Amino acid sequence: MKHFKKIAIMFMCLALLFPYNAAAHSGRTDSSGGHRDNKNASGLGSYHYHCGGYPAHLHENGVCPYSSSAKTSSSSSSYTKKFSKYYQSSVVKKVQKKLNKLGYKCGKEDGIYGTKTKNAIKDFQSDEGMTVNGEIKKALLKKLKINI
């Protein structure tokens, strides 16, 4: 037993000499708010951004998806559609709060339109006899009695 304790203590000391960092990166960013991710730990490629404290993301067409210019863009592409006034964080948070209150589990009320939120919206739309698409639009907000 004494021998086992000595080996265990030696192993712990060695572990302290070679610390293991599970974080994806140190958090340092360049002047553009981005950084290299050579090991692709984020799954977004070799370079991504962390603007305004948001999670790792890309800048399609050079525009941050969290910037006000992306949210008010008049482009009809699916990329900018997600950032219409119905997908602003404050609106998504209200939808999440209402859906959770009604028993549709969309997870944390964080204002992020993710898979859980989309699926909860689809379930609600199905139960209410609406077109099932998982999108936040005027009709959904009206059914949920949410004013923006």
Side-chain angles (χ1 to χ4, degrees):
M1 188 69 168
K2 264 186 170 179
H3 189 52
F4 176 75
K5 285 183 182 179
K6 285 182 181 180
I7 292 173
I9 290 172
M10 192 173 7
F11 179 75
M12 286 191 278
C13 289
L14 283 172
L16 291 174
L17 291 175
F18 302 103
Y20 177 74
N21 188 353
H25 57 80
S26 64
R28 290 188 221 162
T29 58
D30 61 21
S31 62
S32 300
H35 70 93
R36 296 202 89 37
D37 182 10
N38 294 327
K39 293 181 182 177
N40 196 18
S42 67
L44 295 171
S46 63
Y47 191 88
H48 62 254
Y49 298 86
H50 292 272
C51 307
Y54 290 102
H57 60 279
L58 299 176
H59 286 188
E60 291 190 32
N61 300 323
V63 179
C64 177
Y66 297 104
S67 72
S68 59
S69 62
K71 292 176 184 175
T72 59
S73 174
S74 61
S75 171
S76 61
S77 72
S78 62
Y79 173 74
T80 55
K81 176 182 158 198
K82 185 175 176 182
F83 298 102
S84 74
K85 68 179 179 178
Y86 298 118
Y87 290 88
Q88 291 180 359
S89 180
S90 60
V91 176
V92 174
K93 197 178 283 191
K94 288 178 185 179
V95 169
Q96 290 169 328
K97 185 174 183 176
K98 186 71 100 166
L99 288 172
N100 279 334
K101 187 175 180 181
L102 294 171
Y104 297 91
K105 298 177 181 172
C106 57
K108 188 176 176 184
E109 297 164 14
D110 55 8
I112 297 172
Y113 178 76
T115 305
K116 287 182 181 179
T117 300
K118 185 174 184 174
N119 290 337
I121 291 171
K122 284 182 177 181
D123 291 342
F124 176 80
Q125 289 170 327
S126 177
D127 290 348
E128 294 294 317
M130 302 172 69
T131 301
V132 178
N133 56 19
E135 295 178 355
I136 301 175
K137 292 188 174 181
K138 190 175 183 177
L140 176 72
L141 297 179
K142 188 174 180 180
K143 277 278 192 194
L144 289 171
K145 298 178 181 158
I146 295 174
N147 296 317
I148 59 169

